[in-house]
Structures are given as C-alpha cells and as structure tokens.
Amino acid sequence: MPWYETVLIYGVIPLAVFLLLAVATLLPGRGKDKTRYRPGQPWEHETVWYEPHSGVPGVPGGHGDDHGGSHAPGLGATAAALTIGEHPHETDAHRRTAAGGARGTW
Amino acid sequence: MTQQLEHGPSATKDTRNTAVTEPGSGPFSYRDLARIDEALTLSSKETGLRFTLYVGDLGRDTRAFAEELHSRSGGDPSNTVLVALSPGQRVLEIVTGTAAARRLPDRACALAVLTMTGRLGAGDLTGAIVNGLRQLSDSAGHPSRRRAH
C-alpha cells in the first residue's frame, strides 16, 4: 500500500467525517439565540398577555365571537395580545376573583 | 369529545401559520410564539380551564397586581388560571379562580412553579412556559374524567 493511500484512509477520511459532523451540528443552531433571555438582565420588551386560541372548540371562554376580533388587529386570531389598560373584557375590575395559586422567584 | 380531538391538528396548523407570518416585536421568536400558543390552547382545551399568560412587569406588589390582572382576564374569571411572569423582577405568579382552584390546588401550582423557576433560572423562558402549562394541565386533568370518579 503506497504511503498516500495510508494517509487518505487514516487521515483524510476521519477528517472528512469529523468536518461533516461539525457542520451538521453547528450550522443549524446559528442565529437563533437573538431573543434569548438571561436572568438578571433588565426586561425591556413590551408587556404581553396571551390567551388561548378562541376559535377552537373546547376552549372555554373564547371571546372572539362576541368581540368580533376587534382588539389587537396586528396579532390575528391567535395569541391575541391584550395591551394592559385596554380593558377588553366587561368585568368589574375591583371584584377579587383569585382563590389560590402559587408564587416563585428565580 | 371526539369531535374536539378531530379539530386539534387543524387548530395547530392554523396557529403555526399565523405565528410565522405575523410580525412581532415581542420577546419571543415566531417558533417560540407558536409553541406558547399551542401550549395555551391545548392545555385550555384539555382541561376546560382557561389559561392565560402574562409576560411583563408586575409592579411593586406582584401578587396584588397578578390578582387584579386575573380579575379582568376575561371570560369566566373563576374558571381562569393566570400565569404571570415578570422576567425583569424574576417573579412568577400563578393565580387560580375559585372553580379552577378546586381542580388545581395550591400544591399543584407550587409544583408547576418549581418546574418553571428551574428553567427560568437557566434563561429558558419558552421552555418554562410550555412545561409549566403542561404540568398545570396534567394536574388539573380532564373535566369529564374527573367527573367520572
């Protein structure tokens, strides 16, 4: 076996496999971490309030039909974000409705 | 029930399309938004409770603020579960209404909070939300199955 064949089999092929795997693992994850949150950083994003998709049968309290989707037009039917202070729902705001829950910090 | 399950995949597809095409300036990528939306909708559908998610500042008295949010969260507040997180303050509040609290006792909420804070501490907002919602809906169970017991 000539020397270059040895180099080809034991050097170039493993290197090619290594590079192929490196490309396959490193490339897909690039540029995805832009919106990542890191604890301790100040939170400068807009306040959002998501509610379940109201058009789906079985989801309780969907209000899409009674309001005609008039609020938050930019967000479509899904994940309708309610800006705070908008009072989209007709409830008396001062009645306490909370009965339980939990609290945590991190 | 069967009918609802049949509608599941179409709702998911619909959700994904809207989340991808709509521009958003918020903290979440389109992919994250799709996951969150799916988690919210599916857990609400599975349990019959209404889950809403608030992400933003919770003021000085976070509990009072979260309870006030819960009182005007729309629909039937007693059947609503509010998951409010303030990443700036590093506070997470879960508020349950009177009917929801019977299905989701405080202990179940505390367990979900524990799951979520573990992930939030690692910076994984979306994972925390999705897993927290999954755990809450698992604890609450299915309404008809619970009635059968």
Side-chain angles (χ1 to χ4, degrees):
Chain A
M1 190 191 283
W3 66 270
Y4 58 85
E5 259 184 39
T6 315
V7 171
L8 214 63
I9 290 168
Y10 292 102
V12 176
I13 291 176
L15 194 72
V17 169
F18 175 79
L19 287 177
L20 193 76
L21 290 178
V23 164
T25 50
L26 294 178
L27 276 188
R30 285 181 61 190
K32 266 190 187 173
D33 248 9
K34 278 177 207 158
T35 52
R36 193 175 157 80
Y37 160 73
R38 292 185 202 289
Q41 277 184 345
W43 188 253
E44 279 150 4
H45 296 286
E46 218 172 290
T47 297
V48 285
W49 194 354
Y50 297 113
E51 55 183 11
H53 214 29
S54 50
V56 179
V59 172
H63 63 93
D65 33 10
D66 49 353
H67 285 265
S70 54
H71 67 275
L75 278 154
T78 172
L82 312 173
T83 31
I84 302 314
E86 199 181 353
H87 297 288
H89 303 293
E90 304 294 322
T91 50
D92 39 340
H94 298 292
R95 193 165 53 91
R96 190 173 180 274
T97 52
R103 177 178 199 278
T105 53
W106 69 88
Chain B
M1 189 55 234
T2 330
Q3 204 184 354
Q4 288 174 15
L5 284 174
E6 275 167 14
H7 281 281
S10 68
T12 312
K13 211 187 290 165
D14 180 28
T15 294
R16 190 160 296 156
N17 286 341
T18 17
V20 171
T21 48
E22 292 291 341
S25 59
F28 301 108
S29 65
Y30 299 132
R31 209 187 147 101
D32 291 344
L33 276 178
R35 283 180 67 199
I36 291 171
D37 189 52
E38 201 176 319
L40 270 181
T41 306
L42 286 183
S43 45
S44 298
K45 201 170 100 172
E46 262 175 39
T47 58
L49 301 173
R50 189 159 177 276
F51 288 91
T52 64
L53 170 74
Y54 174 93
V55 184
D57 194 68
L58 284 171
R60 196 176 292 162
D61 186 355
T62 55
R63 189 73 204 170
F65 194 92
E67 287 183 357
E68 201 218 317
L69 284 177
H70 182 267
S71 72
R72 53 187 175 89
S73 57
D76 176 15
S78 82
N79 206 29
T80 298
V81 179
L82 170 74
V83 178
L85 54 143
S86 170
Q89 298 164 291
R90 298 210 223 171
V91 174
L92 164 69
E93 301 273 2
I94 294 181
V95 185
T96 51
T98 43
R102 278 198 290 274
R103 306 262 308 278
L104 268 178
D106 288 1
R107 207 194 293 173
C109 295
L111 212 59
V113 163
L114 201 67
T115 309
M116 292 178 77
T117 49
R119 278 176 177 264
L120 288 167
D124 185 9
L125 272 183
T126 313
I129 292 163
V130 169
N131 281 285
L133 284 171
R134 185 181 301 153
Q135 192 161 347
L136 285 173
S137 63
D138 281 352
S139 315
H142 197 275
S144 57
R145 225 175 289 152
R146 279 185 72 91
R147 237 175 275 139
H149 281 301

